[in-house]
Amino acid sequence: MDNNESEDVLTLSVEIPFPNSRIAEVVLNTLIVDSEPKRGGTIKTLKVIDNKLIGYFVGTNISSVRVSVNSFFENIHLISETIQLLGEPVSEKYSHFENA
Amino acid sequence: MVIAIGFEGSANKLGIGIIEDDKILSNCRRTYISPPGEGFMPKETALHHRQNILAVLKQALDESGIKPEEIDVVCYTKGPGMGAPLACVAVVARTVAQIWNKPLLGVNHCIGHIEMGRFITGADNPIVLYVSGGNTQIIAYSRKKYRIFGETIDIAVGNCLDRFARVLKLSNAPSPGFNIEQMAKKGTKYLPLPYCVKGMDVSFSGILTYMEERSKKLIKEGFTPEDLCYSLQETVFAMLVETTERALAHVGSKEVLIVGGVGCNLRLQEMMRIMCKERGAKIFATDERFCIDNGLMIARAGLEMFKSGSRMKWEDCGITQRFRTDDVDVIWRKD
């Protein structure tokens, strides 16, 4: 499976619950900006349903999917720690999305 | 009154700084130090940043004595730099901006160095020599851009010095360049080395290969490691002074500003001072707190951008490994 010749499509769906939907949104907004490395060919789709972040990974190269999923978890860990340090978001909504 | 916080982590230094207009509130930094003979790799460096960034953030906030709600803008290094370290620092900056509900600004790392140098030294419109482990550029400002007059065509001067430190198995603490500088002070015998100035550009990879291939033999023949450090420094710094002098003459400026990690090398500053004296120009340089990568420089450049009305859309708050100095519109300068 760990070569580029395989045409089998590998999919992985991950569901991560957060204390509330606002935090799930913060995590989504933080993660959604970074694109996956082009060479790996893995496609990552993220969305929030209620307090859950849902990550959907599709790829043909198992090692590149693994890299994507690993970095997904590492980032979520880092974001969670950041929220633990600083506390909950101060506002109901982020007001600077369309600043430019 | 504007307060900015800056996150930097484009290479092995992780820094967070807070500035209130012209007042430095805090500037905290931790460095990932690899074992002697080894350089720092993206994966390990990113791990270091992830493990340390929240401690540095807490320290920067505590030292600044301000509350998060007083901050006006969150700035982070958008690029250029190593992908993985840049990305994990940007993740924290994006989270922080959302938690505090503050605008987020991506800053060009090179612009950070230049604006920090101008701020600390008071240089007004200098020729900038930007020398570090990842960049070597001779820069002058003209019509809303920092324009690159000359640069390295292969590796950065700091990369050349760092990798020669690896050949000699020097310690990477506090930095390989610092240890080369100390060794070079004790060198007496000069070894002529290839000198690679090509117009306004410079090249260091050939010099490094020359040293890598011959070091062992040269040491057997009676050169000491100190002599080799001395010869290497004299040669590469002479190349930098030559190109800076040419830019100075061309632009007609009377100021030279040295920024970037290699900029705290006192021998480079001394050689530049001699050249400046001959031309009636003035040299500006800073110490390691401000010229080695730090968070404050990102806060400072971000502050200037923010004050002049620069804002960023959320979808643009990613990172980019390549980001040229002359890609940035310098809207905050009035000249």
Side-chain angles (χ1 to χ4, degrees), chain A residues 26 29-30 33-34 74 78-79 81-83 85-87 89-91 93-100, chain B residues 50 53-54 57-58 88 91-92 94-104 311-315 317-318:
Chain A
V26 167
N29 292 332
T30 297
V33 188
D34 287 319
E74 279 168 1
L78 185 57
I79 298 166
E81 282 184 325
T82 308
I83 296 171
L85 176 73
L86 301 178
V90 297
S91 58
K93 256 197 152 85
Y94 183 63
S95 19
H96 306 279
F97 281 125
E98 289 295 329
N99 266 337
Chain B
R50 278 201 302 275
I53 190 163
L54 296 177
L57 175 58
K58 190 169 184 309
C88 71
V91 158
V92 173
R94 291 198 286 262
T95 308
V96 166
Q98 288 184 85
I99 292 177
W100 294 339
N101 196 24
K102 304 289 179 187
L104 183 63
R311 299 290 184 273
M312 200 170 73
K313 275 193 174 153
W314 189 260
E315 58 256 42
C317 70

Side-chain angles (χ1 to χ4, degrees), chain B residues 124-152:
Chain B
D124 177 43
N125 186 22
I127 296 288
V128 182
L129 176 66
Y130 169 27
V131 276
S132 69
N135 291 283
T136 303
Q137 298 178 341
I138 298 107
I139 302 160
Y141 173 81
S142 168
R143 291 177 292 126
K144 303 287 169 197
K145 295 264 191 199
Y146 283 113
R147 293 174 201 270
I148 302 167
F149 266 60
E151 63 189 317
T152 177

Side-chain angles (χ1 to χ4, degrees), chain A residues 7-61:
Chain A
E7 282 304 307
D8 293 335
V9 176
L10 188 148
T11 64
L12 186 72
S13 174
V14 192
E15 209 179 278
I16 302 171
F18 289 96
N20 55 59
S21 62
R22 177 73 183 106
I23 290 181
E25 249 173 56
V26 167
V27 177
L28 174 77
N29 292 332
T30 297
L31 292 180
I32 209 150
V33 188
D34 287 319
S35 46
E36 292 300 300
K38 279 196 192 97
R39 209 177 294 165
T42 302
I43 298 166
K44 177 179 76 180
T45 318
L46 300 176
K47 64 177 173 184
V48 162
I49 298 178
D50 298 326
N51 67 329
K52 289 194 194 87
L53 175 70
I54 293 152
Y56 192 62
F57 299 83
V58 182
T60 51
N61 183 317

Side-chain angles (χ1 to χ4, degrees), chain B residues 147-165:
Chain B
R147 293 174 201 270
I148 302 167
F149 266 60
E151 63 189 317
T152 177
I153 55 172
D154 39 62
I155 59 171
V157 61
N159 193 240
C160 178
L161 294 171
D162 290 356
R163 284 161 72 176
F164 183 61

Side-chain angles (χ1 to χ4, degrees), chain B residues 123-330:
Chain B
D124 177 43
N125 186 22
I127 296 288
V128 182
L129 176 66
Y130 169 27
V131 276
S132 69
N135 291 283
T136 303
Q137 298 178 341
I138 298 107
I139 302 160
Y141 173 81
S142 168
R143 291 177 292 126
K144 303 287 169 197
K145 295 264 191 199
Y146 283 113
R147 293 174 201 270
I148 302 167
F149 266 60
E151 63 189 317
T152 177
I153 55 172
D154 39 62
I155 59 171
V157 61
N159 193 240
C160 178
L161 294 171
D162 290 356
R163 284 161 72 176
F164 183 61
R166 280 177 228 163
V167 173
L168 297 179
K169 294 279 192 296
L170 299 185
S171 165
N172 286 324
S175 71
F178 178 82
N179 295 326
I180 293 236
E181 184 182 354
Q182 305 317 311
M183 299 262 290
K185 285 179 186 167
K186 295 177 216 130
T188 50
K189 208 156 109 190
Y190 179 75
L191 167 77
L193 292 173
Y195 184 93
C196 294
V197 172
K198 295 158 195 274
M200 282 301 290
D201 292 333
V202 286
S203 160
F204 300 105
S205 72
I207 303 173
L208 177 64
T209 308
Y210 186 96
M211 293 300 270
E212 283 174 341
E213 283 174 351
R214 290 170 183 76
S215 292
K216 248 188 196 158
K217 195 167 141 260
L218 288 164
I219 288 170
K220 265 188 206 146
E221 285 170 2
F223 282 96
T224 63
E226 285 82 0
D227 291 334
L228 298 182
C229 290
Y230 161 71
S231 305
L232 180 61
Q233 268 199 179
E234 293 299 304
T235 306
V236 297
F237 291 168
M239 290 162 54
L240 296 171
V241 173
E242 182 196 328
T243 38
T244 307
E245 180 172 19
R246 204 173 300 132
L248 202 61
H250 180 79
V251 175
S253 169
K254 288 286 172 206
E255 295 176 331
V256 172
L257 171 65
I258 310 179
V259 299
V262 183
C264 58
N265 187 303
L266 296 177
R267 178 59 187 151
L268 173 61
Q269 293 182 12
E270 187 188 346
M271 288 169 74
M272 195 65 79
R273 188 166 290 117
I274 296 168
M275 183 276 282
C276 285
K277 206 177 161 197
E278 286 169 1
R279 302 196 66 90
K282 210 173 158 204
I283 175 181
F284 297 89
T286 60
D287 63 46
E288 52 85 23
R289 289 169 298 167
F290 308 119
C291 75
I292 293 180
D293 290 352
N294 59 83
L296 193 66
M297 65 185 223
I298 301 304
R300 176 66 194 182
L303 182 97
E304 296 275 19
M305 291 165 71
F306 185 76
K307 277 185 173 177
S308 60
S310 182
R311 299 290 184 273
M312 200 170 73
K313 275 193 174 153
W314 189 260
E315 58 256 42
D316 297 328
C317 70
I319 54 130
T320 167
Q321 286 173 288
R322 300 187 187 282
F323 190 1
R324 298 276 295 174
T325 312
D326 48 14
D327 276 347
V328 178
D329 285 317
V330 186

